[in-house]
Amino acid sequence: QVQLVESGGGLVQAGGSLRLSCAASGSIWSINTMGWYRQPPGKQRELVATIRSAGSTNYANSVKGRFTISRDNAKNTVYLQMTSLKPEDTAVYYCNTDGYYRGSDLFTYAFNSWGQGTQVTVSS
């Protein structure tokens, strides 16, 4: 089907920046929405930002003006540029995409895939 591989997490001081990447691979036919979610320690997973195939974006209020989501359709990759990071941004960040893949029978099937998660830790 479709696999997602994330990279770019790490430890950063408050006020710093990080860039996350997520590359999709497999028998991809088309990708619709790509997005980032995060799960802070002891809390539920929450939306961070999404970007649709045509480029429209949606952000959580808590990250507006600080985070920027973008995508490279040719590379099936989505990015999250995070600036002015705060300790409350500490979380495991997950990539998510949906779209269609081509099966071995050459028919297309819908998919919704998650990455394995990457840790972002912001120290005060």
Side-chain angles (χ1 to χ4, degrees), residues 6-78:
E6 301 156 352
S7 60
L11 173 64
V12 64
Q13 288 188 331
S17 300
L18 281 176
R19 188 190 194 212
L20 305 183
S21 299
C22 173
S25 63
S27 303
I28 298 170
W29 181 255
S30 65
I31 294 180
N32 297 329
T33 303
M34 306 185 83
W36 291 93
Y37 293 74
R38 66 186 182 186
Q39 187 165 13
K43 297 184 179 180
Q44 292 187 333
R45 192 174 298 188
E46 61 186 21
L47 169 74
V48 177
T50 61
I51 182 168
R52 303 188 69 174
S53 56
S56 60
T57 58
N58 179 52
Y59 293 92
N61 288 333
S62 59
V63 306
K64 282 182 180 177
R66 301 188 298 122
F67 291 10
T68 302
I69 189 170
S70 61
R71 63 191 282 174
D72 184 333
N73 291 329
K75 296 181 178 179
N76 292 328
T77 299
V78 62

Side-chain angles (χ1 to χ4, degrees), residues 3-8 21-23 45 92-95 113-119:
Q3 298 80 39
L4 303 180
V5 177
E6 301 156 352
S7 60
S21 299
C22 173
R45 192 174 298 188
V92 178
Y93 283 70
Y94 296 91
C95 173
S113 296
W114 290 88
Q116 79 283 1
T118 185
Q119 178 69 47

